[in-house]
Amino acid sequence: MRATNRLSAAGIKAAKAGKHCDGGGLWLVKRDNGGAQWVLRTTVYGRRREMGLGGYPSLGLAEARKQADRWRAVAAAGRDPVKEREAEARAARREDISLAVITADAFEARKAELKGDGKAGRWLSPLSVHVLPKLGKVPVTDIDQRDIRDVLAPIWHTKAEAARKAANRIAIVLKHAAALGLEVDLQAVEKARALLGKTRHKPEHIPAMPWADVPGFYASLAEPTLTHLALRLLILTGVRSGPLRHLRLEQIEGDVWTIPGDGMKGRKGATDAFRVPLSAEALRVIDLAKPFARDGWLFPSVRKGVISDATMSRLMERRGMAERPHGFRSSLRVWLAEATDAPHEQAEAMLAHTVDGSVVRAYRRTDFLEQRHVLIERWADHVTGGSGAVVRLVAAAK
């Protein structure tokens, strides 16, 4: 009896339901409904492996034998034919290794690390605006420092921050490509920076109001409108615009507002939530805003969601002011430095800034909430026209 090639085309058509051996581990499994499947049985490292080769009659007898010969040879070489075929399939799916495709894959892998899963598009925008239109179709393995230099050169000095972010994102994408097993130059971005030279751009800080002038501006926010109330609370708390605009009533408990970790810049996860002490004046402003609340938002938009990021800025623009809402964080920080003796760690904690290394922070385990309560009340006193006298915190720090 022949060890292989036992079946014939005519015999297969007439075969009943069941398993029919062609030899050498190749079997045709015929079902009651008339369908059939080719299966190859091999042994790798003493373990039996079965792999489906395809259905009959779409995969004929001659082609089934050809595939069986190929995978038997793989098994004879000590490799697992099932895993080898899976690897080939993965390689085929990665055939398109253009920068655009690898960028999308890298972004997908990092979405969980980004605020709001990256839905705002800020991680991708430096690449989609400045890089992908020119390099998106280029295989990532072909990209070198000259390509990166050429695409960043037009914005290197004129839009330095956008160029810096784009370069950083390219480096991340190249590392992702390397992790996929692609041959890329991981030093290409650093080489491009060397070719581009030092940027001539001087960073422009957001204009901030001197802390001594804040009471006058605060007093001018006398109308009980959402914009005036939002600006008041922004000044009183020193928070960024994003958390303030997305303030929900359930985040306030007593005189503490807890901002979830995913609502804080540079903080990820609920364990990194930030507690904001609320002064009596801040609580009064919140009470004034509550009648406007909708769907849980304290500062809702007239249409849907919350007020936009530009709402407060436009009020200041219309008044002909150079300062912007974010600048009040600087006003508070300078007041802390010039009008209080607050230690550096406590002053930075007022603005949710991270200081010291992770080890020091792990042992410190405090957000100075009690001390910040004292400071925020004194800041509110200054903002509402109080003395603004020097604050001594020796007792509070004990």
Side-chain angles (χ1 to χ4, degrees):
M1 185 179 292
R2 292 178 296 174
T4 56
N5 299 342
R6 297 178 184 177
L7 301 177
S8 66
I12 290 174
K13 290 180 180 180
K16 297 180 180 180
K19 298 179 180 179
H20 306 276
C21 181
D22 187 55
L26 179 61
W27 292 76
L28 179 70
V29 181
K30 205 163 188 183
R31 298 185 294 274
D32 291 331
N33 62 5
Q37 177 79 17
W38 292 104
V39 176
L40 178 65
R41 294 175 179 172
T42 59
T43 301
V44 182
Y45 302 126
R47 185 177 61 153
R48 172 181 278 190
R49 298 289 274 154
E50 283 194 2
M51 63 187 299
L53 301 181
Y56 176 86
S58 57
L59 183 66
L61 177 60
E63 183 61 27
R65 286 172 175 168
K66 187 183 296 183
Q67 287 197 28
D69 287 340
R70 179 193 175 192
W71 296 119
R72 276 195 292 259
V74 170
R79 304 193 306 275
D80 188 328
V82 175
K83 291 185 177 179
E84 189 117 335
R85 185 172 63 181
E86 290 173 351
E88 288 184 2
R90 287 195 299 271
R93 288 195 298 269
R94 293 202 305 264
E95 192 171 28
D96 186 351
I97 58 170
S98 65
L99 181 64
V101 168
I102 303 302
T103 295
D105 197 48
F107 172 68
E108 191 67 27
R110 281 158 180 78
K111 280 171 61 174
E113 304 173 17
L114 305 174
K115 182 178 178 180
D117 287 337
K119 292 179 182 177
R122 293 180 180 176
W123 193 91
L124 277 175
S125 60
L127 295 176
S128 58
V129 173
H130 302 293
V131 178
L132 295 181
K134 295 180 180 178
L135 295 180
K137 295 181 181 180
V138 178
V140 70
T141 51
D142 291 349
I143 291 176
D144 60 21
Q145 63 270 26
R146 290 177 291 275
D147 297 316
I148 299 172
R149 175 200 61 188
D150 293 345
V151 81
L152 294 182
I155 61 171
W156 191 248
H157 298 293
T158 58
K159 299 179 180 178
E161 183 61 14
R164 181 189 67 81
K165 290 180 179 179
N168 289 344
R169 305 294 195 270
I170 294 172
I172 291 172
V173 172
L174 291 178
K175 287 179 182 177
H176 187 81
L180 290 173
L182 300 173
E183 294 288 337
V184 295
D185 184 0
L186 292 176
Q187 301 300 317
V189 172
E190 286 305 311
K191 294 174 184 175
R193 286 192 176 107
L195 294 174
L196 288 162
K198 189 174 181 180
T199 178
R200 295 190 299 270
H201 174 77
K202 293 182 180 180
E204 295 182 3
H205 298 290
I206 296 174
M209 185 177 294
W211 61 265
D213 296 340
V214 174
F217 177 74
Y218 188 87
S220 74
L221 302 171
E223 299 175 16
T225 64
L226 272 184
T227 305
H228 279 215
L229 293 171
L231 263 173
R232 286 193 202 179
L233 194 58
L234 186 83
I235 294 169
L236 290 166
T237 57
V239 300
R240 292 182 173 88
S241 167
L244 181 117
R245 292 183 298 107
H246 290 87
L247 194 162
R248 297 188 64 83
L249 292 173
E250 63 265 25
Q251 294 172 357
I252 300 172
E253 186 172 348
D255 58 1
V256 175
W257 165 25
T258 302
I259 303 175
D262 58 6
M264 294 295 294
K265 180 180 179 181
R267 293 169 181 249
K268 304 179 180 69
T271 56
D272 286 322
F274 180 67
R275 297 190 297 174
V276 180
L278 298 172
S279 63
E281 174 68 6
L283 290 171
R284 189 181 72 85
V285 171
I286 290 171
D287 284 338
L288 290 172
K290 282 181 179 178
F292 296 98
R294 188 178 66 247
D295 299 328
W297 304 113
L298 189 64
F299 299 110
S301 169
V302 293
R303 294 186 180 87
K304 186 179 179 181
V306 300
I307 58 175
S308 73
D309 195 33
T311 301
M312 293 178 284
S313 293
R314 284 173 183 158
L315 180 145
M316 302 177 78
E317 286 178 10
R318 288 194 296 269
R319 294 187 179 187
M321 300 171 63
E323 296 86 357
R324 291 296 175 264
H326 190 81
F328 289 113
R329 287 169 56 80
S330 177
S331 305
L332 171 57
R333 186 62 183 87
V334 175
W335 175 82
L336 286 165
E338 295 182 351
T340 82
D341 63 349
H344 176 73
E345 295 84 357
Q346 295 175 23
E348 290 294 281
M350 289 284 284
L351 302 179
H353 286 165
T354 299
V355 295
D356 298 321
S358 58
V359 174
V360 174
R361 295 197 304 273
Y363 278 95
R364 187 167 61 221
R365 298 185 183 181
T366 179
D367 60 358
F368 304 108
L369 183 65
E370 183 179 346
Q371 293 89 340
R372 287 190 290 125
H373 249 127
V374 175
L375 288 167
I376 211 68
E377 284 289 357
R378 292 299 301 161
W379 170 244
D381 181 53
H382 164 68
V383 165
T384 55
S387 66
V390 174
V391 182
R392 298 298 176 188
L393 297 176
V394 176
K398 289 182 179 179

